[in-house]
């Protein structure tokens, strides 16, 4: 990729920083009285923030919020550079909701508050796909079960939103009602998440130096 | 639970400690040449170690190992004490493998190395259930697809194995072939994972004091 990518600034983020980001957003959600009924983690990136935020969305005596995982990946062109993922156009679905198991213990997503979680909103392609497909499936189920009068509310939580032109949009209704929750909005830098660190002590020190602890 | 539970010792574990545990086990797996073809995370607890260990199971130029999530919970009796989970007998399945999406991009589990990940091996009930059900499903698929000659190899990775009497067993073949991988074996203490911490700075300090950083 040459000089352009060499010059990309690296932002180091510690685990404790991520923990605090999840806590911050959870406090906002609870203050609005919008505790989700189910969390949908986009694997792999969404798994860590999803598990952390769940802790803070639990009130004393309440049950854990169920987590469902969906596997979404963008086709990557790995030929150009080992470090820079070239964003593809198509989303690959490697796992979807298990409505069978979900309904048995949980009913369905119809009429529920659903929090979709991922690590980063880069081009917005994956999040767009997730919301669009989930909304479509819920509507189909509503018609099938004759429950079209119930409102399902989707929110999104990401650790980082990159301030850059997006390739896809999210529903205006979601954006206008503060249901798109990014813990931090950052420039289009290279985000170094702790779970990729070969030396976590050094990584944490760099994050602290950058104020990301 | 009275005095007995009040006296339970708390073990504080930092995020960086968990990161290093994942790294340590990944190095062992790679040294044996047993890189998994798929990781199965038991939600919620297995999500964080599963995502972290994936980073270290990747060689330069290789694709990310796909992660599938399965949701397994034990019935909990929440009536007795807010802090102590009473272990129930039945496992609740809230999500299962999505063989439909999985096969489309990945074939199936038949003939693969499968790494099952959870946070803690307490009574072994959940892990027993996971291995038993996964083995059963793979065998059924093998018969259905006439591929009974292929060997599927299951391994387990947990952050902590509690040294206590277990209520269920894992396959002897797995135990005898070092395919049960616990990063730490600990006494039957109260494990304080960082993702449950209300004050992560204080939690991390306590972990460092206990040498769990």
């Amino acid at each position: 990729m040459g000089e352009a990518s060499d010059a990309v600034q690296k932002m180091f983020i510690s685990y404790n920083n991520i923990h605090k980001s999840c806590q911050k957003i959870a406090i906002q959600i609870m203050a609005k009285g919008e505790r989700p009924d189910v969390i949908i983690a986009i694997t792999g990136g969404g798994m860590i923030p999803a598990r952390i935020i769940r802790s803070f969305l639990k009130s004393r005596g309440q049950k854990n919020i169920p987590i469902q995982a969906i596997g979404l990946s963008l086709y990557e062109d790995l030929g150009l550079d080992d470090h820079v993922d070239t964003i593809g156009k198509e989303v690959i679905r490697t796992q979807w909701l298990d409505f069978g198991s979900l309904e048995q213990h949980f009913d369905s997503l119809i009429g529920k508050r659903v929090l979709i979680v991922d690590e980063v909103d880069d081009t917005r392609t994956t999040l767009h796909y997730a919301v669009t497909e989930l909304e479509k499936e819920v509507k189909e189920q509503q018609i099938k079960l004759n429950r079209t009068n119930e409102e399902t509310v989707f929110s999104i939580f990401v650790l980082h939103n990159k301030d850059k032109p997006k390739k896809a949009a999210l529903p205006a209704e979601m954006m206008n009602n503060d249901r798109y929750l990014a813990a931090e909005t950052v420039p289009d830098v290279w985000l170094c998440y702790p779970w990729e660190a070969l030396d976590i002590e050094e990584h944490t020190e760099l994050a602290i130096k950058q104020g990301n602890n």
Side-chain angles (χ1 to χ4, degrees), chain A:
Chain A
M1 300 289 282
E3 284 174 29
S5 70
D6 290 344
V8 170
Q9 195 199 325
K10 285 187 185 181
M11 184 171 161
F12 294 91
I13 302 137
S14 71
Y15 280 112
N16 285 7
N17 179 268
I18 283 160
H19 184 93
K20 290 173 202 166
S21 289
C22 296
Q23 196 166 13
K24 181 177 86 172
I25 297 298
I27 289 168
Q28 287 177 22
I29 291 171
M30 295 299 269
K32 288 200 290 179
E34 297 195 346
R35 183 177 186 260
D37 301 299
V38 61
I39 295 170
I40 295 180
I42 300 178
T43 57
M47 297 174 85
I48 293 181
R51 176 61 193 87
I52 300 172
I53 200 169
R54 188 177 77 168
S55 299
F56 302 115
L57 294 170
K58 190 182 178 182
S59 302
R60 210 179 157 81
Q62 278 179 316
K63 277 192 181 176
N64 285 326
I65 299 172
I67 298 181
Q68 287 267 311
I70 58 176
L72 299 178
S73 301
L74 294 164
Y75 271 117
E76 292 167 0
D77 182 355
L78 297 166
L80 292 173
D81 191 300
D82 270 2
H83 296 295
V84 180
D85 292 331
T86 306
I87 305 302
K89 279 169 195 158
E90 199 181 342
V91 175
I92 307 174
R93 195 196 271 203
T94 54
Q95 182 167 28
W96 197 242
L97 297 178
D98 182 357
F99 279 112
S101 298
L102 193 65
E103 283 170 37
Q104 202 177 339
H105 304 287
F106 180 75
D107 186 28
S108 72
L109 294 188
I110 299 169
K112 299 286 195 301
R113 281 207 184 86
V114 182
L115 182 65
I116 301 164
V117 180
D118 207 352
E119 61 190 338
V120 61
D121 177 0
D122 189 61
T123 62
R124 203 157 278 177
T125 309
T126 309
L127 289 170
H128 167 82
Y129 180 92
V131 175
T132 308
E133 293 292 304
L134 289 170
E135 284 189 337
K136 201 172 76 186
E137 285 216 6
V138 170
K139 272 184 195 146
E140 286 170 4
Q141 272 205 317
Q142 285 186 295
I143 292 164
K144 201 173 118 193
L145 301 172
N146 198 21
R147 291 171 59 182
T148 49
N149 58 331
E150 295 175 55
E151 194 197 2
T152 310
V153 180
F154 289 97
S155 301
I156 284 175
F157 162 50
V158 291
L159 294 169
H160 297 96
N161 173 32
K162 286 194 181 178
D163 188 13
K164 64 189 280 187
K166 303 298 186 184
K167 292 185 180 169
L170 294 171
E173 190 273 343
M174 175 186 277
M175 306 305 272
N176 296 339
N177 287 286
D178 294 328
R179 298 216 181 91
Y180 171 82
L181 305 160
E184 306 286 344
T185 299
V186 296
D188 192 9
V189 294
W190 180 356
L191 294 170
C192 299
Y193 286 111
W195 44 85
E196 298 281 358
L198 286 176
D199 182 338
I200 192 61
E201 296 290 348
E202 185 194 39
H203 178 98
T204 308
E205 278 172 33
L206 289 165
I208 291 169
K209 271 188 199 160
Q210 292 187 343
N212 300 322
N213 198 46

